[in-house]
Amino acid sequence: MKRVCVGCNFAAQKRGMFDCPFCRAPIPKDNAHALAMIRARVKKKDPEAIQMLGQKYFHGELGLQKDMRKAVELWTEASELGSIDALYSLGNAYFNGDGVQQDRAMAVELYRKAAMQGHVDGRHNLGCDEVQKGNYGRAVRHWLISAKMGHEGSVENIKKMFVAGVGTKDQYMEA
C-alpha cells in the first residue's frame, strides 16, 4: 500500500478530496470493505499491502482471527517482494518467537537486512543486540545512524552510554 504524507493528505481534504489519493476510491466505511481493498492489492502482489495484511492477522484486526503463523507467511512473501517493514516485522517475530521458533540470530540478520535498506527501528535494534554482546562501540555507531534518522530511543541510549563512560561527548553531541 502506498502512503501519502500527512500534509499532502490534509491539503487534499482541505480541497474537498476525501477519497483515496491514489485510486480515488471511497475510503472504506467498515472493516469488511477495508479488508476487501487490502486483499485486492494483495492479489496484485503489492508488498506493502501484503505486509499490512500480515499486521492485521498478527493483531487480529479488521475482523480477522489472530493468526501469527499466517502473519509470518505474509511477511515472508512481502519481504521477498521488497518490503523493509516486513523484514522488520519478521525480525520481531523471530526475536519473540511469535508464529515461529524463537531464533535470535535470525532476528538480528533480518534487522540487519532491514537496516541496510533504511529501516530506523531495525538499525536501533542492531545497537541493542551489540550491547548484549558487549560491543558498546558498535552499539553507539548503530544508534548514531538511527538517531540521525530521528529515533528518540537511540538518542536516549547514546546519552546513557555517555553517562556510563562508554560513549564519548562527541558522539553524544553528534546524536
Side-chain angles (χ1 to χ4, degrees):
M1 311 267 321
K2 295 181 181 176
R3 298 191 179 136
V4 176
C5 78
V6 175
C8 293
N9 191 32
F10 179 73
Q13 289 178 7
K14 198 171 178 181
R15 291 185 188 110
M17 297 170 52
F18 295 99
D19 296 336
C20 173
F22 296 109
C23 65
R24 303 290 185 233
I27 302 297
K29 305 239 185 280
D30 58 22
N31 288 344
H33 287 98
L35 188 57
M37 287 180 79
I38 293 171
R39 285 193 167 140
R41 296 299 314 153
V42 167
K43 284 182 184 176
K44 295 178 181 179
K45 298 295 183 193
D46 180 347
E48 294 306 316
I50 297 168
Q51 190 276 336
M52 183 181 281
L53 185 59
Q55 289 292 340
K56 301 306 178 191
Y57 272 106
F58 184 81
H59 295 290
E61 297 173 339
L62 297 181
L64 295 171
Q65 185 172 347
K66 195 172 191 174
D67 187 346
M68 294 187 184
R69 288 186 185 184
K70 178 72 173 173
V72 168
E73 288 173 22
L74 289 165
W75 290 332
T76 301
E77 181 182 354
S79 67
E80 290 168 357
L81 292 171
S83 171
I84 62 172
D85 289 330
L87 281 171
Y88 178 74
S89 295
L90 269 175
N92 286 339
Y94 276 99
F95 188 83
N96 297 314
D98 294 331
V100 291
Q101 180 72 29
Q102 187 175 32
D103 185 347
R104 300 266 168 116
M106 175 63 95
V108 169
E109 178 61 21
L110 290 164
Y111 290 149
R112 186 190 64 73
K113 286 180 181 180
M116 293 301 289
Q117 295 180 47
H119 198 282
V120 65
D121 291 321
R123 180 67 67 180
H124 173 80
N125 286 0
L126 287 175
C128 295
D129 179 63
E130 292 298 338
V131 166
Q132 295 294 319
K133 294 176 182 175
N135 299 331
Y136 302 115
R138 286 186 66 149
V140 170
R141 285 195 297 272
H142 282 299
W143 288 332
L144 276 171
I145 294 168
S146 58
K148 287 179 182 177
M149 296 168 72
H151 196 281
E152 293 289 328
S154 293
V155 175
E156 288 301 314
N157 286 350
I158 293 169
K159 179 180 172 184
K160 289 176 187 174
M161 297 297 266
F162 172 68
V163 170
V166 178
T168 66
K169 184 176 183 178
D170 290 337
Q171 289 171 326
Y172 180 60
M173 295 306 290
E174 190 176 340

